[in-house]
Amino acid sequence: AQSVTQLDSQVPVFEEAPVELRCNYSSSVSVYLFWYVQYPNQGLQLLLKYLSGSTLVKGINGFEAEFNKSQTSFHLRKPSVHISDTAEYFCAVRTYNFNKFYFGSGTKLNVKP
Amino acid sequence: EAGVTQFPSHSVIEKGQTVTLRCDPISGHDNLYWYRRVMGKEIKFLLHFVKESKQDESGMPNNRFLAERTGGTYSTLKVQPAELEDSGVYFCASSQGPSDTIYFGEGSWLTVV
């Protein structure tokens, strides 16, 4: 079975500051890892994904994440946030064969001016 | 090309009533998925169709929920009778193959009062 833990339900940060959203996962098999974002009143949008290869993955809007197999983590980072990054961010895993995702409970990023 | 479309985008119904949510996948996508997020918790898998067949319905919460995909095109998710705890966002997603890139719709927001 797979599970995902997002350690912070809310992260307040000032504009232009760096941010890290934490994600840890548990799985008995190898998985792919994802970060999705949901802007207010919108659907889920893929930020980035790790399938294989380099453990540092770059996504849209300046976000990046690093896969750490030994720590079973996939933390999301951005060096300088903007007001427009205010949204809820979801970490997710799925197995290789099927699009059955396991999501974390989400982290609300609130960027303040 | 149109993305995954869901209807209605928002609905408010009374406890005990019936609601039917509709999802139109991307044209040519045989695989269709329903997920939901209730009460600010994690997004959870409900079920997976391959064409008109239910591949995996392990996430369906109880028999008040009925999903169909007649003809292998659009899908409906009926909740009958609706309960307060059914309030949340219902996401539909589709992919061409079972492990291909998945695309999420914008969700149907359901409020049961």
Side-chain angles (χ1 to χ4, degrees):
Chain A
Q2 291 77 39
S3 68
V4 177
T5 302
Q6 292 183 243
L7 299 168
D8 305 299
S9 60
Q10 296 193 50
V11 173
V13 63
F14 287 105
E15 194 173 18
E16 297 183 6
V19 71
E20 178 181 81
L21 306 185
R22 297 179 292 170
C23 172
N24 288 85
Y25 71 94
S26 173
S27 178
S28 55
V29 299
S30 295
V31 293
Y32 293 146
L33 299 124
F34 300 78
W35 275 97
Y36 281 87
V37 59
Q38 184 178 20
Y39 296 103
N41 299 316
Q42 294 187 29
L44 291 173
Q45 181 178 356
L46 178 65
L47 261 184
L48 49 80
K49 59 185 176 184
Y50 174 77
L51 304 183
S52 64
S54 172
T55 57
L56 183 62
V57 181
K58 293 189 184 299
I60 62 172
N61 300 339
F63 283 93
E64 63 181 31
E66 186 157 18
F67 170 55
N68 187 318
K69 189 173 183 179
S70 62
Q71 296 186 7
T72 60
S73 67
F74 191 53
H75 301 333
L76 181 70
R77 301 185 183 99
K78 186 170 182 178
S80 176
V81 295
H82 303 289
I83 297 289
S84 59
D85 293 323
T86 295
E88 191 158 18
Y89 293 78
F90 296 92
C91 181
V93 303
R94 52 154 272 214
T95 61
Y96 289 173
N97 296 325
F98 298 102
N99 275 321
K100 185 175 182 177
F101 283 77
Y102 296 83
F103 286 88
S105 54
T107 298
K108 290 183 179 178
L109 177 64
N110 183 16
V111 182
K112 304 176 181 182
Chain B
E1 183 181 345
V4 177
T5 56
Q6 295 186 242
F7 182 83
S9 57
H10 293 79
S11 60
V12 180
I13 63 170
E14 293 185 351
K15 177 182 173 182
Q17 290 186 323
T18 297
V19 64
T20 300
L21 310 178
R22 172 170 168 146
C23 170
D24 286 78
I26 293 172
S27 178
H29 282 194
D30 287 339
N31 293 267
L32 186 149
Y33 314 82
W34 285 98
Y35 286 80
R36 77 167 182 172
R37 187 185 191 204
V38 297
M39 302 299 288
K41 296 187 178 179
E42 65 270 24
I43 302 167
K44 283 192 173 180
F45 169 84
L46 293 180
L47 86 161
H48 170 203
F49 283 101
V50 178
K51 296 186 179 178
E52 67 274 11
S53 300
K54 292 175 185 175
Q55 176 75 21
D56 180 352
E57 53 182 330
S58 61
M60 293 290 267
N62 52 61
N63 59 11
R64 295 187 294 103
F65 289 76
L66 175 64
E68 295 179 320
R69 194 183 181 195
T70 307
T73 54
Y74 71 91
S75 174
T76 58
L77 180 64
K78 180 189 288 188
V79 184
Q80 180 183 29
E83 298 289 345
L84 298 179
E85 63 264 25
D86 300 330
S87 296
V89 185
Y90 291 76
F91 292 103
C92 178
S94 72
S95 65
Q96 194 160 21
S99 60
D100 290 337
T101 300
I102 188 172
Y103 298 87
F104 283 87
E106 296 202 342
S108 288
W109 266 253
L110 173 63
T111 303
V112 182
V113 297

